[in-house]
Amino acid sequence: MRCRFRGGAGAVTPPRLCRHPSRAAQGWGTANYCVMLAQGYLELLGIIDPSLFSNNLDRFLEGRGQGLLGIVLGTEETTALAATLTARGLHPEGPLTLSRLLEAGAEPVEPIFSLLRLPPEELPAINGFFCQHLTPELLRQPGWEIHPNAVTGIASVTIAVDNPEAIAEAYETLLGRSAVVPTDDAWAVHLGDGSVLLFVTPEEAATLYSPLSGPPESPSIVAMALRSTNLEQTAAALTANGVAFDSSPARCCASRRSRRAVGCWSLLVREVLSGRCPEPRPRGFGPLGNPLLIRRNEGMID
């Protein structure tokens, strides 16, 4: 593995997921840790065997260094989803089955997943796919979703693109018109679980996120916001793990339609990952790739 959470950042990290040794010829050369949240999860991905397929992770690390690689969208049934997407004129590939070994205890267990992919122009800018957990009980175990840092889920992910409105149109076809909302700063795509994809121009991304040294390349995932039930507890966990952060009030995503916004306090984390990061760093990114915000909503404000 080529990167890790710095000191855990106050998160509970389950055992590693890796390829099955008896299936090396068909396996991937990557392994990952999944930080399970009450809503969603974070996957820390690294290379353990460079001779095997890494799904271009090696190119990503060499070209940009560590940071946000892609976004996986959850689904309860990939077969039914494939039929729905096809009916909407899209072109899904799959479902495809993937399994991993969970290195837990003396007898590892094998979580199984069903994957569904779309062409990049039909699921644009996020380097993503759809995933159904066929054995969710193996990863969502008691204690793995409750974290000392009080983080409970993913609030939003911000993606820089040259033409946010054109990208939003693709997501209207995918998810329906009601899921896509223009805001003062971005086109917001609501995923149905409370999380939001925010598409902004590179120039707007540099304005919104001060750790960026300039407008990032397009397309690129530039920032992620996590939910916390208690920012004081979050701050204490970050401090205990030596993770630097700034605390400030923020006005988030005012809608052009309602002219209202969610008021929140934010912790801007300066350093989440530790490990290799090539020099020189690509244009528009700070030392470790992506800003991370942790927010507690305070309700609607005018």
Side-chain angles (χ1 to χ4, degrees), residues 57-271:
L57 178 60
D58 52 347
R59 294 182 182 180
F60 180 88
L61 292 172
E62 291 299 329
R64 178 182 148 180
Q66 54 203 8
L68 296 173
L69 172 65
I71 301 169
V72 177
L73 305 179
T75 179
E76 294 183 355
E77 225 299 317
T78 50
T79 301
L81 178 61
T84 299
L85 297 179
T86 300
R88 294 179 181 177
L90 302 176
H91 303 86
E93 176 188 347
L96 306 172
T97 300
L98 172 70
S99 64
R100 294 281 202 176
L101 281 186
L102 181 64
E103 300 175 334
E107 294 294 334
V109 294
E110 189 170 6
I112 305 173
F113 313 91
S114 179
L115 312 182
L116 189 71
R117 298 184 180 275
L118 282 173
E121 63 272 16
E122 295 179 357
L123 186 63
I126 67 170
N127 188 30
F129 54 91
F130 296 92
C131 179
Q132 175 190 359
H133 283 223
L134 299 178
T135 53
E137 70 282 357
L138 297 181
L139 284 174
R140 294 201 172 275
Q141 297 189 23
W144 287 4
E145 298 177 350
I146 302 173
H147 303 279
N149 60 20
V151 169
T152 59
I154 300 170
S156 66
V157 180
T158 301
I159 305 101
V161 294
D162 290 328
N163 190 340
E165 187 171 0
I167 297 296
E169 290 177 358
Y171 282 91
E172 282 190 0
T173 301
L174 177 66
L175 300 173
R177 181 171 297 180
S178 62
V180 180
V181 180
T183 74
D184 284 347
D185 302 318
W187 281 84
V189 176
H190 295 264
L191 299 179
D193 63 349
S195 57
V196 182
L197 303 180
L198 299 173
F199 293 97
V200 302
T201 64
E203 293 73 21
E204 188 65 37
T207 300
L208 289 171
Y209 302 107
S210 57
L212 297 178
S213 58
E217 296 179 357
S218 172
S220 58
I221 304 172
V222 297
M224 177 172 59
L226 303 177
R227 288 192 181 88
S228 169
T229 57
N230 187 322
L231 280 188
E232 292 77 13
Q233 183 176 334
T234 304
L238 295 174
T239 300
N241 285 280
V243 179
F245 63 91
D246 297 310
S247 177
S248 65
R251 185 178 177 87
C252 313
C253 298
S255 169
R256 295 176 187 171
R257 299 174 184 173
S258 67
R259 306 301 302 175
R260 306 187 77 194
V262 176
C264 59
W265 279 81
S266 295
L267 299 181
L268 177 60
V269 180
R270 301 176 196 163
E271 185 172 353

Side-chain angles (χ1 to χ4, degrees), residues 33-73:
Y33 293 92
C34 291
V35 181
M36 307 306 296
L37 307 173
Q39 172 260 323
Y41 62 95
L42 307 177
E43 181 177 339
L44 309 181
L45 184 65
I47 296 173
I48 58 173
D49 189 341
S51 68
L52 295 177
F53 178 67
S54 69
N55 197 28
N56 293 321
L57 178 60
D58 52 347
R59 294 182 182 180
F60 180 88
L61 292 172
E62 291 299 329
R64 178 182 148 180
Q66 54 203 8
L68 296 173
L69 172 65
I71 301 169
V72 177
L73 305 179

